[in-house]
Amino acid sequence: MVVVGAGIVGCSLADELTARGWTDVTVLEQGPLPAPGGSTSHAPGLVFRTSPSKTLTAFARYTVEKFTSLEVDGVSCFAPVGGLELATTPERLAELHRRAGYAASWGVTGEIVSAARCKELWPLIDESLVLGGFHTPDDGLARALLAARAQMARAESRGARFLDRHTVTGIEQAAGRVTAVVTDQGDFPADHVVSAAGFWGPVIGRMAGVDVPLQPLAHQYARTRPLPGLAGAATEASRPILRFQDRDLYFREHTDRIGIGSYAHKPLPVDPFAVLPYDEARAHDMEMPSSFPFTAEDWAPSWDDCRRLLPALRESEIEEGFNGVFSFTPDGMPVLGESSALRGFWLAEAVWVTHSAGVAKAVAEWMVHGRPEIDVHECDLTRFEDAQRSPSYVRDRGSQQFVEVYDVLHPLQPMERPRPLRVSPFYARQQELGACFLEGGGWERPHWYEANAPLAASHGALPERDAWSARHWSPIAAAEARATRERVALYDMTPLRRLEVTGPGALDFLHGMTTNNLRKKPGAVTYTLLLDETGGIRSDLTVARLGPDRFQVGANSPADLDWLTRHAPSDVAVRDITSGTCCVGVWGPLARDLVQPLTRDDFSHEAFGYFRAKETYIGHVPVTALRLSYVGELGWELYTSADLGLRLWDTLWEAGREHGVIAAGRSAFNSLRLEKGYRAWGIDMTDEHDPYEAGVGFAVRLDKGDFLGMRALEGRGVPRRRLTPLLLDDPASVVLGKEPVYVDGVAAGYVTSAAYGYTVGRCVAYAWLPVLPAGTGVSVEYFGEKVAATVVDEPLFDPKMTRIRC
């Protein structure tokens, strides 16, 4: 196999692959080794492990563990000087409390410290500006070039070879598989090729015919002259790496100097196809291809901020600086995995030094064993929709990710542009109703409607929310939830992914790929799971058998399409039909009263039972009606083609007036589904969890015949952890997700989903915890405060299913 790029990711990957027995590995590098001129060559090496992403935190934890174990010429590849993030505003201090919560959730040691303690850790700061800090004593500095050398040597000792001065000029392929890498020094046959080329990733991707949604940007880094306050320093660094995020700055020591990085300047996009080769860059007086000339005009405001925080800099100057190039994706996450367009062609791109060894381990496990040990769906290259892959989108969103690196971002905060990008056929009507749109997957998603504000006013006051949980929320959501429980509401379900699976082998294929029994007559709908070979939950599906050889599959992400397509036999076609169709959820106790007069078909419970499908007409509109409910109420999902979507909405809206119909949004939807105990894949459960832990074992039929993942589930013992429902004890308390949960005073798990349950009058939270009996008291840490909660039985609402099955 061939790895393209011998930066920190390529070297780490070669080490991880050869350690797992893949020793026929060639790493190609266009520049000179060991410092070939990519982002690794100028990386400042800061490693802060804590992230809102559990996956990124796991990557960073492994990177620290591995680099700590490596050394070159007696010098460790990691300096555990710690990390210190400062707060100079109340908003930032609150953010640091949230970050401390993430650290506790993901197993990172850290604590909130006083301004005085910050001064002790970093004597050069002006303590009067600081309100507090977040100290992580085990973070520190990765010596990226040394770590690359150490891993290169280990990989070579196992048989790998590293060839510098080899510029890749082409990727050869045959029958949809990669066959060789072409360079200016000759061809290298390969069954597997990994692009670990950093900001050159789009260049290598184009050679392979594979889209790489990555935008390189230049980032300013500078070093001061020697400082009297650091005179006599005997080590490279002794103080924690320092973040001044309120001004988009970070600091680290370079013996008697200070290195400073800034994200405060305007985005400086770089065209990866225009970056000079190593020798040409040197000929243009550039130290390396990834090191662009320092732009002093962009630096000036940051320098003023530096000298305010660190008064010792007021008598100093910048001695040297550069604009270093590195990679951003539209969502700020790495791009990992095997391309569906070219088998055997893998990406390990947009990876920072912080996560490098962890990413390499995951990709090596993926290649050798078929899956990583940890969930990486947030990084899977299939996650982007086609609408999110245009060069303009990647450039705009990548640039915005640079701007937002240190911003305080709410978990529901939508991007500002490009919007609107994807809209359902109902968008115009939603605007007329005053929809408050948030965004996901490029789709505009109504979260509540201002037209329902009078309903909120008539239902009385809700417990007052804190400023954070009140963002991107409205009490109107409570009114919409109540209207759904009491009357009927229309929900736009268009963004939910729909696949069509057809062909003579469709039934056998789906039956063998999923956990539940699909051998039912046409008209049946089945909730089932996609597992991997280890029994981990790749996705959950709703499969409607519409004909002998035709199925509609409700899925979660583009990865589901990729997974099914990879496994489909020649007599089965799998097609994504989401964009050409739309869906309205009609739910509530009056749903049948609304729908029945619009169709000649019998929608009674006896004629159209729960989890059944029927192709019919609603007024003039042909629809596929599925008797399903994700909110715990009577109703149907009604699907039609996009061109007829507006007519369907208007037909339902007009007929529903006499029943008090409303349009309801995702905020109410999430509250209702949690009261009912319904899981959200990717949030509540991933391939790190098996069905019995996740509480969806009812969708597994071990006696139905062989299916993918069945062997791994057979004989599995009693789970030691479970997705556990919690009710917060105080009706006024709210949490949002990812908070640590404490059992007997010890962090024992974390919240996945949470929302206020307007029917039960408490906040409902689901958390991964050790198995605990109902009635056990726990606490959830929210902004540094412990909030009491109790383990409860599920579902909280309508446990006998009388409201759905009527």
Side-chain angles (χ1 to χ4, degrees), residues 101-451:
Y102 297 144
S105 290
W106 316 142
V108 174
T109 300
E111 63 174 339
I112 299 296
V113 297
S114 66
R117 177 59 176 154
C118 292
K119 179 71 171 179
E120 291 177 9
L121 292 166
W122 252 87
L124 298 183
I125 67 172
D126 182 349
E127 182 184 352
S128 69
L129 299 178
V130 179
L131 301 180
F134 175 45
H135 181 219
T136 47
D138 301 323
D139 288 338
L141 292 168
R143 298 183 174 104
L145 283 177
L146 285 186
R149 285 177 57 192
Q151 293 177 100
M152 187 187 311
R154 296 205 315 189
E156 286 178 326
S157 72
R158 303 185 190 111
R161 58 176 176 166
F162 289 75
L163 303 176
D164 64 1
R165 301 292 190 173
H166 280 63
T167 299
V168 175
T169 59
I171 305 292
E172 292 189 346
Q173 52 187 286
R177 284 202 63 90
V178 67
T179 58
V181 177
V182 181
T183 79
D184 59 351
Q185 303 295 318
D187 298 354
F188 295 84
D191 295 324
H192 296 275
V193 174
V194 183
S195 176
F199 59 79
W200 282 291
V203 179
I204 304 301
R206 180 176 292 183
M207 296 176 191
V210 173
D211 181 41
V212 181
L214 177 160
Q215 176 60 56
L217 288 109
H219 163 61
Q220 292 197 298
Y221 191 79
R223 297 190 191 192
T224 68
R225 290 182 173 177
L227 298 177
L230 299 178
T235 60
E236 177 188 7
S238 60
R239 296 176 176 85
I241 47 179
L242 184 68
R243 276 176 166 172
F244 182 21
Q245 291 148 303
D246 289 323
R247 290 294 182 271
D248 296 314
L249 293 165
Y250 63 82
F251 306 84
R252 58 152 293 182
E253 296 168 284
H254 291 280
T255 313
D256 60 351
R257 294 164 171 80
I258 292 180
I260 307 165
S262 173
Y263 294 98
H265 55 85
K266 68 180 183 293
L268 302 169
V270 173
D271 180 357
F273 295 89
V275 176
L276 297 175
Y278 188 91
D279 291 329
E280 287 187 38
R282 296 298 294 264
H284 285 77
D285 296 323
M286 295 169 61
E287 183 178 349
M288 61 187 75
S290 61
S291 180
F292 282 35
F294 191 65
T295 50
E297 65 276 11
D298 294 313
W299 178 259
S302 291
W303 184 233
D304 290 339
D305 291 330
C306 293
R307 290 182 292 181
R308 275 193 290 272
L309 180 68
L310 305 176
L313 298 182
R314 295 170 188 170
E315 304 302 321
S316 183
E317 295 179 1
I318 295 300
E319 184 173 68
E320 59 180 348
F322 62 93
N323 289 6
V325 182
F326 64 140
S327 305
F328 286 83
T329 59
D331 60 4
M333 299 292 286
V335 180
L336 311 178
E338 184 186 20
S339 169
S340 58
L342 179 60
R343 300 304 187 204
F345 185 81
W346 294 73
L347 297 180
E349 298 290 10
V351 181
W352 294 7
V353 171
T354 299
H355 311 113
S356 56
V359 163
K361 177 176 181 287
V363 173
E365 291 168 345
W366 208 340
M367 298 181 74
V368 176
H369 303 300
R371 59 151 289 176
E373 287 184 357
I374 67 170
D375 166 51
V376 296
H377 82 274
E378 294 176 308
C379 310
D380 194 314
L381 63 89
T382 64
R383 70 188 182 272
F384 295 112
E385 307 283 351
D386 289 343
Q388 296 173 301
R389 291 179 173 271
S390 71
S392 295
Y393 186 95
V394 173
R395 179 186 174 96
D396 289 349
R397 292 305 306 154
S399 297
Q400 188 62 26
Q401 287 297 327
F402 179 93
V403 172
E404 294 176 350
V405 161
Y406 284 163
D407 285 2
V408 176
L409 300 176
H410 193 277
L412 292 177
Q413 183 170 323
M415 66 182 188
E416 295 180 359
R417 62 187 182 94
R419 290 181 66 195
L421 182 62
R422 307 179 78 186
V423 298
S424 79
F426 324 130
Y427 183 65
R429 297 294 182 264
Q430 293 164 344
Q431 288 180 303
E432 293 168 3
L433 293 170
C436 175
F437 292 99
L438 301 184
E439 181 271 343
W443 287 100
E444 295 296 316
R445 301 181 183 224
H447 273 243
W448 66 86
Y449 294 83
E450 290 297 330

Side-chain angles (χ1 to χ4, degrees), residues 537-724:
I537 304 171
R538 285 192 57 94
S539 189
D540 62 341
L541 309 177
T542 302
V543 180
R545 190 177 188 188
L546 303 180
D549 300 327
R550 181 166 63 95
F551 296 80
Q552 179 174 302
V553 178
N556 284 294
S557 75
D560 296 341
L561 173 64
D562 181 65
W563 182 255
L564 291 173
T565 301
R566 285 175 184 269
H567 289 84
S570 59
D571 62 347
V572 174
V574 183
R575 186 168 66 97
D576 191 324
I577 60 172
T578 309
S579 297
T581 56
C582 59
C583 178
V584 183
V586 185
W587 291 312
L590 301 182
R592 183 175 287 114
D593 296 329
L594 190 162
V595 174
Q596 183 62 80
L598 300 174
T599 179
R600 292 183 178 180
D601 283 304
D602 187 351
F603 270 52
S604 68
H605 181 63
E606 293 73 20
F608 196 162
Y610 190 51
F611 266 79
R612 298 293 297 172
K614 185 174 294 189
E615 293 182 294
T616 182
Y617 288 85
I618 298 295
H620 297 92
V621 180
V623 301
T624 299
L626 306 187
R627 175 92 184 271
L628 305 177
S629 175
Y630 204 53
V631 299
E633 296 292 339
L634 169 68
W636 290 264
E637 294 177 358
L638 302 176
Y639 297 88
T640 192
S641 56
D643 60 320
L644 291 168
L646 188 58
R647 183 60 177 262
L648 175 62
W649 180 279
D650 288 345
T651 300
L652 294 167
W653 187 260
E654 185 61 33
R657 288 181 182 275
E658 64 178 287
H659 305 293
V661 71
I662 67 161
R666 298 289 298 185
S667 187
F669 179 88
N670 199 45
S671 170
L672 296 169
R673 70 102 178 167
L674 283 174
E675 289 183 329
K676 194 61 181 167
Y678 292 147
R679 278 60 168 151
W681 185 87
I683 299 175
D684 298 317
M685 57 189 185
T686 69
D687 62 7
E688 290 186 3
H689 312 111
D690 75 34
Y692 307 114
E693 297 172 322
V696 289
F698 62 87
V700 178
R701 296 288 183 268
L702 292 176
D703 59 353
K704 73 162 194 167
D706 192 31
F707 60 86
L708 185 61
M710 185 182 78
R711 304 296 178 207
L713 296 184
E714 289 178 331
R716 188 157 292 192
V718 176
R720 292 181 295 175
R721 60 175 179 175
R722 281 205 176 106
L723 185 62
T724 305

Side-chain angles (χ1 to χ4, degrees), residues 38-50:
S39 300
T40 301
S41 301
H42 64 68
L46 283 70
V47 177
F48 285 91
R49 292 166 299 164
T50 303

